[in-house]
Amino acid sequence: MQTSFTPAQLADPQVAESEKILRKCVHCGFCTATCPTYVTLGNELDSPRGRIYLIKDMLENGRAADKETVLHIDRCLSCLACMTTCPSGVNYMHLVDHARAHIEETYKRPLADRFIRAVLAFVLPYPSRFRAALKLARFGRSLSGLFGKVPRLRPLSSMLRLAPSAVPPASKAALPGRHAPAGERRGRVAIVTGCAQPVLDPGINEATISLLNRLGVEVVVPEGEGCCGALVHHMGREEQALAFARKNVDAWLKLADQGGLDAIIITASGCGTTIKDYGFMLRLDPAYAQKAARVSALARDITEYLATLDLPQPVIAPGLTVAYHSACSMQHGQKITRQPKELLTRAGFVVREPREGHLCCGSAGTYNILQPEISARLRDRKVQNIEATRADVIATGNIGCITQIATAAKMPIVHTVELLDWAYGGRKPAGVPEAKEAVRV
Ligand code: SF4
Ligand code: SF4
């Protein structure tokens, strides 16, 4: 694609980076076929190619974001299916991240929108605030229908609808400390405990630590780590996202320098995509550029890490059929497609892949709150495809997808690592049917 940025514009490193990305796009439109919003809405401006034109126009003319551009960029899920499809290697992720930051800087959203976004950014990245908000949501759930009737307040209605009816008690697994294996130590990792995940489903980190410990790996929950920054990053709140990233870089590298780390383990693929991008996000910060690149190089999804270990025979033969839902941040963001399915198969599960596996479930961070209508259409399509597999249980590697799919699916849904932990001697995840064969020992 031809661009016409001025030398003065290109002196801005963010603009220079986006210009490089824009020039790679050859307008072929292959990406439109796999874009969930184009597939759902059928509007070129809700396709990757359409958004690329809107971003180009906004940046090239050095103008503030307008209502139309904001509408179509806000509708983008950042699912990155377009990056998997694109034959020219267009880095849509970095382009849309820049566009979102530009929107945040130059566009004044309506009051209700600003309020909802401010609440999300204040609450979601902090487990104690999120836990308190979920408890409060129980009292406000009756207002969900009322809020749903006022278009500007629909996100509040979605927030209340998505809140679980009971909040599990806080787990000790999320507290800073060392979880040592019983026998000989074969490795040492840090675990990213996350912000929303330990509140919604503390069992995921518990299963991860328990499984790794049984496999001889020491797991450390670092002092001082926090939200990875993905939630606010996708809302264009760049400074807040970078502040989270710097804090985490300090916490994780302190551990790496003190006792060595084989990996930084992530159990939410949405966080994994962002942490693996810290090196890029902090590239312009001389004090953090190298350190952030080091952190990104150490970051591993739990399934990526488990696939490098010499695994024993499973303790039980579950014999259950699993519908594996590959989160967008897993398959498109991190290009992890093989390992979760191979690990499940090796552990004795029969893996089935739902149709249209490349399409997003509509969760996408805060998308299911901010864009409830499109999100619900994508969720229903996803659930229909998953249920057609007639599996016993759904497995995925991202808490956002678990929460989203659980609101409509009749089958139980768990994190992949919870099934693996069970097969290798851990506890059975709640809601999952009993193993079909006897314990092998
Ligand atoms: S990130 Fe997803 S929703 Fe956004 S343009 Fe790409 S394919 Fe479409
Ligand atoms: S597939 Fe890639 S090159 Fe083709 S229009 Fe989409 S982003 Fe541009």
Side-chain angles (χ1 to χ4, degrees):
M1 181 183 283
Q2 255 197 336
T3 60
S4 53
F5 288 91
T6 64
Q9 283 176 308
L10 294 174
D12 177 340
Q14 305 274 18
V15 175
E17 186 65 36
S18 290
E19 195 253 0
K20 263 200 287 177
I21 299 169
L22 288 167
R23 280 159 57 108
K24 279 195 166 180
C25 177
V26 295
H27 330 254
C28 65
F30 287 171
C31 52
T32 56
T34 56
C35 170
T37 53
Y38 181 74
V39 169
T40 307
L41 304 169
N43 179 348
E44 170 74 15
L45 292 179
D46 289 313
S47 78
R49 186 171 58 181
R51 292 186 177 111
I52 287 171
Y53 277 115
L54 288 173
I55 297 170
K56 175 179 185 284
D57 185 61
M58 175 173 75
L59 297 179
E60 229 171 33
N61 291 305
R63 63 169 172 76
D66 58 28
K67 203 172 160 187
E68 189 186 33
T69 307
V70 174
L71 174 77
H72 298 292
I73 299 296
D74 280 356
R75 283 182 182 165
C76 169
L77 296 130
S78 275
C79 69
L80 309 181
C82 47
M83 283 181 64
T84 299
T85 312
C86 176
S88 302
V90 171
N91 194 322
Y92 177 84
M93 173 170 87
H94 290 158
L95 187 66
V96 81
D97 286 348
H98 182 197
R100 290 204 161 107
H102 185 80
I103 289 171
E104 187 65 15
E105 265 171 38
T106 63
Y107 183 72
K108 190 162 183 191
R109 292 177 182 276
L111 183 65
D113 198 5
R114 268 183 283 148
F115 170 72
I116 287 159
R117 283 166 181 267
V119 169
L120 291 173
F122 180 76
V123 172
L124 290 185
Y126 304 93
S128 52
R129 293 179 198 174
F130 184 45
R131 179 180 299 283
L134 287 182
K135 286 185 178 164
L136 268 179
R138 274 187 292 178
F139 301 105
R141 191 164 293 126
S142 54
L143 297 172
S144 168
L146 190 68
F147 289 148
K149 290 190 181 124
V150 185
R152 290 249 177 253
L153 297 182
R154 273 188 200 140
L156 283 179
S157 165
S158 313
M159 254 194 258
L160 293 169
R161 218 174 7 81
L162 282 164
S165 48
V167 187
S171 164
K172 285 200 178 110
L175 299 175
R178 188 174 149 258
H179 300 263
E184 189 196 344
R185 194 177 95 171
R186 293 166 64 196
R188 184 177 191 252
V189 299
I191 184 169
V192 179
T193 51
C195 50
Q197 180 182 285
V199 179
L200 291 167
D201 189 349
I204 297 171
N205 284 333
E206 287 170 358
T208 306
I209 294 170
S210 138
L211 175 61
L212 288 172
N213 278 175
R214 263 180 281 116
L215 295 171
V217 180
E218 178 177 304
V219 183
V220 187
V221 180
E223 186 86 52
E225 75 172 14
C227 169
C228 69
L231 290 168
V232 285
H233 184 52
H234 291 151
M235 286 196 274
R237 295 175 173 247
E238 214 42 34
E239 277 318 308
Q240 196 181 353
L242 294 182
F244 279 127
R246 289 188 189 98
K247 193 164 173 262
N248 287 333
V249 166
D250 287 340
W252 297 332
L253 289 189
K254 188 172 165 202
L255 264 186
D257 292 338
Q258 280 173 357
L261 277 185
D262 301 323
I264 296 166
I265 299 296
I266 302 145
T267 53
S269 58
C271 308
T273 304
T274 299
I275 294 166
K276 287 181 177 178
D277 201 40
Y278 274 7
F280 178 84
M281 288 164 66
L282 287 165
R283 73 198 183 286
L284 302 174
D285 180 339
Y288 276 86
Q290 276 190 355
K291 292 194 279 184
R294 210 177 134 204
V295 160
S296 292
L298 277 170
R300 296 280 182 284
D301 182 75
I302 177 64
T303 55
E304 229 180 343
Y305 180 71
L306 287 172
T308 66
L309 300 181
D310 189 12
L311 296 174
Q313 282 301 309
V315 172
I316 60 161
L320 300 181
T321 304
V322 177
Y324 175 68
H325 162 70
S326 187
C328 297
S329 42
M330 189 76 85
Q331 59 172 320
H332 305 305
Q334 300 183 59
K335 306 282 184 255
I336 300 171
T337 52
R338 195 176 38 80
Q339 297 91 326
K341 292 180 285 180
E342 286 179 359
L343 287 164
L344 285 168
T345 306
R346 216 199 129 158
F349 297 96
V350 177
V351 178
R352 288 196 186 141
E353 292 183 71
R355 278 182 60 242
E356 300 187 326
H358 63 283
L359 282 185
C360 182
C361 68
S363 165
T366 54
Y367 193 91
N368 50 3
I369 295 171
L370 296 170
Q371 300 286 339
E373 287 88 6
I374 306 172
S375 167
R377 286 171 71 178
L378 289 169
R379 180 202 59 199
D380 294 346
R381 186 169 180 152
K382 178 62 70 185
V383 168
Q384 208 176 13
N385 282 324
I386 290 176
E387 291 190 336
T389 65
R390 301 188 180 279
D392 300 304
V393 57
I394 312 163
T396 190
N398 193 45
I399 186 67
C401 308
I402 293 176
T403 311
Q404 170 84 343
I405 292 170
T407 59
K410 293 183 204 82
M411 297 145 74
I413 178 163
V414 294
H415 193 288
T416 309
V417 79
E418 293 180 280
L419 291 180
L420 296 174
D421 178 47
W422 177 38
Y424 288 101
R427 71 172 180 232
K428 182 174 81 65
V432 172
E434 291 297 334
K436 288 186 178 163
E437 291 178 31
V439 173
R440 232 193 262 148
V441 186

